[in-house]
Amino acid sequence: MQERYIIGIDQSTQGTKALLFGEDGRLIHRADLEHEQIINEYGWVSHDPEEIYHNVIEVVRKLIMESKINTDAITGIGISNQRETSVAWSRKTGKPAGHAIVWQCARAKELCARVEATGIGEAVREKTGIPISPYFPAAKFAWILENRPEAKKLAEQGELCLGTMDSYLVFRLTGGECFQTDYSNASRTQLFNLHTLTWDEEICGWYGIDRMCLPTVTDSNGDYGQTDFEHLLKHKVPIHGVLGDSHGALFGQGCHLTGMVKSTYGTGSSIMMNIGEKPVISKHGVVTSLAWGMNGKVSYVLEGNINYTGAVITWLQSDLQMIGSAKDTEQLAAEANQNDQTYLVPAFSGLGAPYWDNEAAAAISGMSRTTGKKEIVKAALECIAYQITDILDAMSQDAGVQIAELRVDGGPTRNQYLMQFQSDIAGIPVQVPDAEELSGIGAAYMAGIALGVFQQESLFSQMNRKKYMPVMSGEQRDAKYAGWKAAVSKVLTSNRS
């Protein structure tokens, strides 16, 4: 009997990857394509959905050609996606009604202020686990309906689809047969009621969104139709695992038990704690979402998001031209004066969790006459760890548990300086798996388990991890963290005179 393969598609902020897995769950091959980051004079961030869809087809084509596998052995597909990025398209043609609004984009902040002024903020948070913010699709969808005549016309005709990137890709890959999303992505829209597990009609009304424009919500390991990738395959293959990228990483990291925590370091970062089968509404600035739905049951998470992780390194490289590549940061930070007290607060588009200040502005503070390039690079790396520690502390307070370890994934986790500093400043062990692409792995594993290709019990035991242990003294950690808090306080609008 020939080996069976699972393909994982990870559609992320910077690009799209296709990942090929064998029956033992190990990654055999991968193919990648970047897509354009469209940023206008207002700082609005957009993607071209058509480009992304065609890139999905192309990366699968590359994967098949380069791996030289027998395509008849491809058994199933899993998809992980950048989550809050919002798309509007025609139900008849699949054609997008303008560019996708990327999760980073804060163009809907005035709309959010208008909605907040009606006094419904607490009701929205209680129902959805999320504070009103331009970060989430509810406001992005509303902005599209208010500002794009083609989308408004489609809505009036009953032909508008509004969704996150997963539902758009499923729609396109299945030739329009399936308009579905999963519980993890639905829970991030700010339109999904965490208690009733349905689109909330009242909240949809507050944002001016017709529920009929929204996809059907399906278990994350459910049936999402079939695709042959525009006839690349001789047969159609089931899509049987769909997860938001951070949820995919949580599953791929093996954080299946209550109290387990992971952090994905990508363009931004998502820090998630599995809190089990009952929701906990945060009182400390993080949000509540659904981890996934499997076999008719859901699991919940606490989550905090920061906008600038890898994006800080990109800023150093592309905008400041201070480094040649991301790899340069590790050595530069290690060579920097470790007593330098420079802090970078990367509030380039406001601050997310746990501060939620859309008007906060980025700042560098604490520089001395001896502060140079190395010290600024060091501050840029350390600000990533500080932001994540802010969220870990908030989660610990909300859940009433002491976090035992942090499992991490994403490109920046290869930076040993950053990982050691993360362990030191959080005061807990940090574990880095030998496997990369945990988001795509999680979706592929979920699909493979659902289709009987993988055995869950043995699948996660084979992952090796590198462990970083705290070595910084408690006194030094407290002093550094207090300096970070002071730097953040200077940029918060609530503290401006």
Side-chain angles (χ1 to χ4, degrees):
M1 184 177 177
Q2 68 179 359
E3 182 172 10
R4 294 175 294 174
Y5 300 108
I6 297 290
I7 290 178
I9 296 169
D10 179 24
Q11 200 300 292
S12 66
T13 308
Q14 299 294 327
T16 303
K17 308 177 190 74
L19 310 167
L20 181 67
F21 297 90
E23 283 186 332
D24 61 358
R26 295 190 182 277
L27 179 63
I28 297 172
H29 195 70
R30 61 176 276 183
D32 307 67
L33 275 176
E34 293 186 353
H35 56 259
E36 183 182 3
Q37 305 299 310
I38 305 166
I39 304 174
N40 71 4
E41 67 272 21
Y42 304 113
W44 296 357
V45 189
S46 305
H47 289 158
D48 180 352
E50 284 283 352
E51 179 190 11
I52 288 175
Y53 172 67
H54 291 301
N55 281 1
V56 169
I57 303 300
E58 189 56 33
V59 291
V60 173
R61 187 193 310 276
K62 286 179 62 179
L63 188 78
I64 292 169
M65 289 179 60
E66 293 169 3
S67 64
K68 299 179 180 179
I69 61 166
N70 178 1
T71 58
D72 291 342
I74 297 172
T75 306
I77 310 295
I79 298 174
S80 62
N81 62 287
Q82 52 168 323
R83 295 177 303 169
E84 294 83 6
T85 295
S86 302
V87 193
W89 69 95
S90 166
R91 193 182 296 265
K92 276 189 176 181
T93 67
K95 181 180 178 181
H99 285 151
I101 303 178
V102 179
W103 57 270
Q104 292 168 305
C105 185
R107 74 183 71 176
K109 64 182 180 181
E110 291 180 4
L111 187 150
C112 286
R114 193 173 74 227
V115 173
E116 186 86 64
T118 65
I120 64 170
E122 187 57 28
V124 169
R125 195 175 74 88
E126 285 294 328
K127 288 184 173 191
T128 69
I130 295 171
I132 292 174
S133 168
Y135 185 98
F136 300 106
K140 290 174 163 61
F141 292 156
W143 188 95
I144 288 171
L145 287 167
E146 288 188 7
N147 292 277
R148 292 185 184 166
E150 66 270 40
K152 186 176 181 180
K153 183 177 180 181
L154 286 170
E156 291 170 349
Q157 296 170 342
E159 296 176 9
L160 180 67
C161 292
L162 293 170
T164 43
M165 195 59 71
D166 61 302
S167 57
Y168 171 73
L169 292 178
V170 165
F171 187 94
R172 294 294 301 272
L173 288 169
T174 62
E177 291 184 6
C178 291
F179 181 32
Q180 297 171 208
T181 190
D182 91 301
Y183 281 100
S184 70
N185 280 292
S187 73
R188 299 293 295 178
T189 61
Q190 198 161 67
L191 298 170
F192 194 74
N193 191 309
L194 295 183
H195 310 284
T196 64
L197 299 179
T198 59
W199 298 118
D200 191 283
E201 188 169 359
E202 188 173 33
I203 296 177
C204 287
W206 289 336
Y207 280 100
I209 296 166
D210 186 339
R211 283 194 305 168
M212 298 305 294
C213 297
L214 301 173
T216 301
V217 183
T218 305
D219 273 349
S220 307
N221 66 344
D223 182 357
Y224 290 81
Q226 297 185 328
T227 185
D228 60 8
F229 296 104
E230 301 279 359
H231 310 299
L232 274 179
L233 308 180
K234 297 175 185 176
H235 65 296
K236 289 195 173 184
V237 176
I239 303 169
H240 236 295
V242 171
L243 284 163
D245 50 13
S246 190
H247 310 256
L250 187 75
F251 189 79
Q253 284 274 23
C255 294
H256 306 157
L257 301 177
T258 301
M260 298 184 76
V261 185
K262 72 89 205 175
S263 177
T264 297
Y265 297 66
T267 305
S269 278
S270 164
I271 304 90
M272 269 190 181
M273 173 188 283
N274 188 328
I275 56 173
E277 296 181 1
K278 294 183 179 179
V280 174
I281 303 302
S282 174
K283 296 180 180 178
H284 296 90
V286 294
V287 304
T288 308
S289 302
L290 288 161
W292 45 68
M294 293 179 66
N295 307 319
K297 291 184 178 181
V298 298
S299 295
Y300 292 86
V301 290
L302 288 173
E303 179 177 6
N305 297 91
I306 60 175
N307 292 348
Y308 284 85
T309 299
V312 175
I313 309 306
T314 301
W315 174 71
L316 289 178
Q317 180 180 349
S318 301
D319 297 278
L320 297 190
Q321 298 183 353
M322 195 171 277
I323 56 173
S325 74
K327 294 179 180 178
D328 298 341
T329 59
E330 184 176 336
Q331 184 174 348
L332 288 168
E335 293 175 352
N337 177 3
Q338 297 303 305
N339 293 319
D340 185 84
Q341 297 181 27
T342 300
Y343 290 89
L344 166 64
V345 181
F348 298 107
S349 53
L351 285 174
Y355 303 104
W356 298 107
D357 189 336
N358 296 328
E359 302 300 327
I364 298 176
S365 63
M367 291 189 294
S368 70
R369 178 61 184 83
T370 59
T371 300
K373 179 173 78 171
K374 293 177 180 178
E375 286 71 31
I376 292 175
V377 170
K378 169 177 165 287
L381 279 184
E382 291 178 351
C383 81
I384 296 170
Y386 283 126
Q387 292 177 93
I388 288 169
T389 300
D390 283 341
I391 291 171
L392 293 174
D393 287 353
M395 285 180 173
S396 182
Q397 293 179 67
D398 278 327
V401 300
Q402 192 72 30
I403 297 172
E405 67 175 20
L406 176 65
R407 296 186 176 187
V408 301
D409 58 89
T413 63
R414 293 191 290 270
N415 189 306
Q416 296 184 61
Y417 182 93
L418 174 59
M419 291 298 97
Q420 184 58 57
F421 190 77
Q422 182 70 79
S423 178
D424 284 334
I425 210 66
I428 55 176
V430 169
Q431 296 208 30
V432 186
D434 57 0
E436 296 184 14
E437 313 306 340
L438 267 295
S439 298
I441 284 175
Y445 279 8
M446 186 169 281
I449 293 167
L451 292 165
V453 176
F454 302 145
Q455 299 301 313
Q456 185 167 346
E457 295 75 19
S458 59
L459 194 58
F460 293 95
S461 61
Q462 65 188 15
M463 193 175 291
N464 297 315
R465 301 175 186 276
K466 180 176 182 178
K467 182 180 285 190
Y468 292 84
M469 298 295 293
V471 295
M472 186 181 291
S473 71
E475 183 180 4
Q476 188 179 11
R477 175 194 181 276
D478 291 346
K480 285 183 175 293
Y481 194 49
W484 162 255
K485 287 292 193 180
V488 171
S489 71
K490 294 174 184 177
V491 306
L492 295 176
T493 55
S494 59
N495 292 335
R496 293 178 190 169
S497 56

